Amino acid sequence: MDTIINIFSLLGSLGLFLYGMKIMSEGLEKFAGDRLRSILAAMTKNRIMGVLTGVLITALIQSSSATTVMVVSFVNAGLMTLAQSIGVIMGANIGTTVTAWIISIVGFKVNIAAFAIPLLAIGMPLIFNKKSSRKSMGEFIFGFSFLFMGLSFLQEAATALNIGELVANMLANLPFSYDSYGTFILFVIVGAIVTMIVQASAATMAITLMLFGMNIKGFGFEQAAALAMGQNIGTTITAFMASLTANTQARRAALAHMFFNVFGVVVVLLFFPWACDAISWFVTNFMGTNNDLFKLSTFHTAFNILNTLLLIGFVHQIEALVCWALPMKEEQEEEYRLKFISAGLLSTAELSILQAKKEINSFAERCHRMFGLVGDLLGTEKDDDFNKLFSRIGKYESITDRMEVEIANYLNKVSEGRLSDESKAGIQKMLRQIDDLESIGDSCYNLARTLHRHREYTKEDFTKEQTENIHSMMSLAEMALDEMVKIVEHPDFQGRGYAKSRNIETEINNYRNHLKTKNLDDVNSGKYSYQLGVFYTDYVSECEKLGDYVMNVVQASSEKIATE
């Protein structure tokens, strides 16, 4: 019974450690999310700055997985090139070694868990603070406390289970000696598998440091170092999974991450015993200590720095390799497919909002193109050409329906994550935007359907005056859509663009009223039939409705100024 309790205590301690790391990372990401995005945008101009950026951000948020998923998301959204992403990923591998150093210095030497409860007292008022930034900092403090409480409990549970003796017995039954290449490769594989399962290299590194500190027979520095190298392979699975449903460029970024880490492991394995001896000599002679945990942390850092130095000059070659391995397929860019968001990119909720914004930009542009097709339909004379174009507009309408549902579902999933109050309010505004964008798609289809019905049910063409009026109304609607796309895509344009959009919408309303009144007079005076007048006013009224939906999108976009 005690053994079962100890096993669950071990798993629960690991769970507390992982949960602490998760909310610590998310808290800091929310606190500095915009700044992190700005840093990424500004500091990836060349490969050296990209590496330094990766080191900085990963050291801050204590999660290489979060950084690489962020990078894959940015590549997917077109905010970062593939070459830039490779540099940041290299830096993320170095930045993640900070966790091992923190654990090596304080994790097992000082009872950090004793300070964890008082830290919670500091974080408590911040957690319940209404100000988003303070709340996020409170979450960071809670995460930090839970992380080290979990680490302390993990050590206690491992001792109670006598895990050192279990590991020693397992090593004793291996078909090859402790210091053989077979053992080293086995530990690389075990490290990769465990990291894939727990989805956090920091957790596997904490377990490795704990086991190494137990002085288990057969589990020396070389075995622990091999386990640490395996973690570098296992940690690539997070970004790889995030990229599965993303576009080709994002999958290439994830593949580059995997290639980079696997290449480093293969190279170091070629001279692994000598590398371990060199690290031991360096720590003993230059750092002046025989601390085993320092040796392992130094190896972890040196491995990633060496790998970066070896490959930093070959970023473009790596880019060419992954492009060759994952060629761009035409069918992958089909019109109905969302370009920037996918369920696989929800690992960092705050950053997922960026993808949604880019997708809404694409949605607005698609509606604009759809209205352009209606204008083309108006001037199409041949029946075959007319029917083909009408069918294409119908397909666009189906696409807008699907886009609304998929973006809404995505935003709802994002809203279930840990978000700041500003981001939650922003999601509500985006939901309003996509609802009205879908209505614009419906209006465009209704305009096309009115033209189709006019063509089917009457042989009477619109008069020259009616045609000129329709084109004038279409021009006003086109101007409204132009302004809407600018406002949705460029936040800085929102302030001055809102007034212009309002003026255009007022002009559309007045023009609609004028044309409806004049239509009654023209029908009564016998200029054209009542039936033709119905089609004419239906078309004009639908243009006015479209203008209303456009204005709703503009209002929702402009209101975001207050929340961002």
Side-chain angles (χ1 to χ4, degrees):
M1 187 66 183
D2 288 343
T3 303
I4 294 173
I5 291 173
N6 287 334
I7 289 172
F8 276 97
S9 296
L10 184 76
L11 295 174
S13 302
L14 180 61
L16 185 62
F17 178 90
L18 290 170
Y19 179 69
M21 174 150 285
K22 182 177 184 291
I23 63 171
M24 183 178 79
S25 174
E26 287 181 349
L28 190 58
E29 188 182 314
K30 282 190 284 183
F31 178 74
D34 288 333
R35 285 180 282 273
L36 292 182
R37 290 194 281 274
S38 299
I39 291 170
L40 269 174
M43 295 182 64
T44 55
K45 303 300 181 186
N46 61 64
R47 65 190 74 178
I48 302 297
M49 292 304 294
V51 170
L52 294 176
T53 302
V55 173
L56 173 65
I57 290 180
T58 308
L60 282 173
I61 65 177
Q62 287 294 290
S63 174
S64 61
S65 294
T67 303
T68 50
V69 168
M70 186 192 310
V71 167
V72 168
S73 302
F74 277 25
V75 174
N76 189 59
L79 301 174
M80 182 182 288
T81 67
L82 180 59
Q84 288 173 330
S85 73
I86 293 170
V88 178
I89 287 167
M90 289 177 175
N93 279 5
I94 299 172
T96 194
T97 64
V98 172
T99 308
W101 280 106
I102 293 172
I103 295 171
S104 296
I105 294 168
V106 300
F108 301 115
K109 299 298 180 184
V110 179
N111 185 14
I112 195 73
F115 299 98
I117 301 299
L119 273 176
L120 293 178
I122 297 171
M124 181 67 72
L126 295 174
I127 281 280
F128 293 103
N129 197 290
K130 290 184 178 180
K131 191 173 180 181
S132 179
S133 59
R134 291 176 185 170
K135 188 174 182 178
S136 298
M137 185 50 64
E139 290 174 359
F140 171 78
I141 293 171
F142 264 60
F144 185 82
S145 299
F146 291 158
L147 187 148
F148 280 98
M149 284 169 64
L151 191 62
S152 178
F153 295 153
L154 189 68
Q155 191 177 21
E156 290 175 11
T159 303
L161 270 174
N162 201 11
I163 203 165
E165 188 177 332
L166 291 173
V167 173
N169 290 336
M170 288 171 60
L171 290 169
N173 292 320
L174 289 176
F176 24 73
S177 63
Y178 300 146
D179 56 353
S180 69
Y181 265 92
T183 302
F184 301 151
I185 293 171
L186 175 65
F187 274 101
V188 168
I189 294 170
V190 170
I193 292 172
V194 172
T195 307
M196 286 179 189
I197 292 170
V198 300
Q199 291 281 289
S201 59
T204 318
M205 193 64 195
I207 295 170
T208 304
L209 287 163
M210 180 189 69
L211 293 174
F212 189 36
M214 289 181 173
N215 298 316
I216 301 168
K217 184 181 178 182
F219 189 78
F221 174 46
E222 291 178 339
Q223 290 75 24
L227 203 59
M229 286 200 301
Q231 295 155 24
N232 276 57
I233 296 175
T235 195
T236 64
I237 198 66
T238 307
F240 183 75
M241 289 171 64
S243 74
L244 287 178
T245 52
N247 63 28
T248 303
Q249 284 294 85
R251 291 200 297 277
R252 287 171 176 172
L255 183 62
H257 183 211
M258 188 173 290
F259 166 79
F260 175 77
N261 285 14
V262 171
F263 175 84
V265 170
V266 171
V267 169
V268 173
L269 275 176
L270 295 176
F271 53 94
F272 184 64
W274 299 280
C276 291
D277 290 341
I279 293 297
S280 295
W281 178 84
F282 177 83
V283 172
T284 302
N285 291 280
F286 279 86
M287 297 178 67
T289 177
N290 282 317
N291 188 313
D292 286 338
L293 299 186
F294 279 16
K295 288 182 183 179
L296 185 55
S297 297
T298 303
F299 178 89
H300 193 209
T301 302
F303 167 77
N304 286 294
I305 291 176
L306 174 66
N307 199 18
T308 299
L309 292 175
L310 285 174
L311 292 177
I312 195 169
F314 300 96
V315 167
H316 294 301
Q317 286 78 5
I318 296 171
E319 182 180 15
L321 177 65
V322 296
C323 288
W324 170 80
L326 286 173
M328 186 76 72
K329 296 179 182 177
E330 238 176 87
E331 60 267 24
Q332 289 174 338
E333 303 302 328
E334 283 185 8
E335 202 168 31
Y336 65 82
R337 184 184 181 277
L338 293 181
K339 294 180 181 179
F340 304 109
I341 65 176
S342 56
L345 296 175
L346 279 171
S347 297
T348 51
E350 286 281 346
L351 292 169
S352 296
I353 294 174
L354 273 180
Q355 273 70 268
K357 286 180 180 177
K358 293 284 285 186
E359 200 64 67
I360 290 171
N361 294 350
S362 175
F363 197 173
E365 290 169 357
R366 192 182 297 275
C367 290
H368 195 187
R369 288 198 303 274
M370 187 178 178
F371 185 76
L373 294 178
V374 175
D376 294 339
L377 190 71
L378 184 62
T380 302
E381 295 182 1
K382 292 182 179 178
D383 287 343
D384 285 346
D385 293 341
F386 184 94
N387 291 331
K388 284 179 183 177
L389 193 50
F390 179 67
S391 176
R392 191 177 174 200
I393 293 170
K395 182 183 176 185
Y396 260 73
E397 198 271 335
S398 298
I399 291 169
T400 58
D401 289 346
R402 183 169 171 179
M403 286 187 78
E404 182 199 16
V405 171
E406 291 191 16
I407 297 173
N409 288 340
Y410 182 81
L411 287 172
N412 286 331
K413 287 179 184 177
V414 172
S415 66
E416 293 170 3
R418 304 173 66 83
L419 295 168
S420 63
D421 292 338
E422 290 85 355
S423 293
K424 288 177 181 175
I427 285 177
Q428 293 304 313
K429 304 276 188 306
M430 283 190 277
L431 288 169
R432 283 178 52 196
Q433 281 182 311
I434 61 172
D435 179 53
D436 284 302
L437 284 169
E438 190 276 332
S439 295
I440 291 172
D442 288 345
S443 277
C444 289
Y445 182 64
N446 288 339
L447 288 171
R449 195 166 57 177
T450 299
L451 293 176
H452 186 262
R453 284 168 50 233
H454 166 252
R455 197 179 188 94
E456 275 194 340
Y457 296 120
T458 179
K459 298 299 181 183
E460 190 179 3
D461 292 331
F462 289 123
T463 66
K464 183 181 178 181
E465 185 181 6
Q466 283 177 320
T467 303
E468 288 174 353
N469 291 339
I470 286 173
H471 280 299
S472 296
M473 180 62 91
M474 292 281 284
S475 295
L476 287 172
E478 177 76 21
M479 287 170 58
L481 283 163
D482 281 340
E483 292 302 307
M484 179 195 76
V485 171
K486 289 178 188 175
I487 289 169
V488 170
E489 291 186 355
H490 305 291
D492 295 340
F493 186 79
Q494 289 171 2
R496 63 183 185 274
Y498 178 83
K500 186 174 180 181
S501 293
R502 173 60 72 189
N503 290 337
I504 295 171
E505 199 255 350
T506 301
E507 195 173 345
I508 289 173
N509 290 345
N510 293 339
Y511 195 49
R512 184 274 316 263
N513 293 338
H514 166 71
L515 293 181
K516 286 186 77 173
T517 302
K518 192 171 186 308
N519 173 68
L520 290 174
D521 294 338
D522 290 342
V523 169
N524 289 333
S525 63
K527 283 188 176 181
Y528 47 80
S529 69
Y530 177 81
Q531 183 65 55
L532 185 63
V534 169
F535 288 127
Y536 173 58
T537 54
D538 281 352
Y539 196 90
V540 167
S541 296
E542 195 62 54
C543 282
E544 190 276 331
K545 272 188 191 176
L546 185 144
D548 288 342
Y549 296 133
V550 168
M551 195 62 215
N552 290 343
V553 174
V554 169
Q555 284 177 327
S557 302
S558 301
E559 284 173 15
K560 275 193 278 187
I561 297 172
T563 61
E564 289 184 344

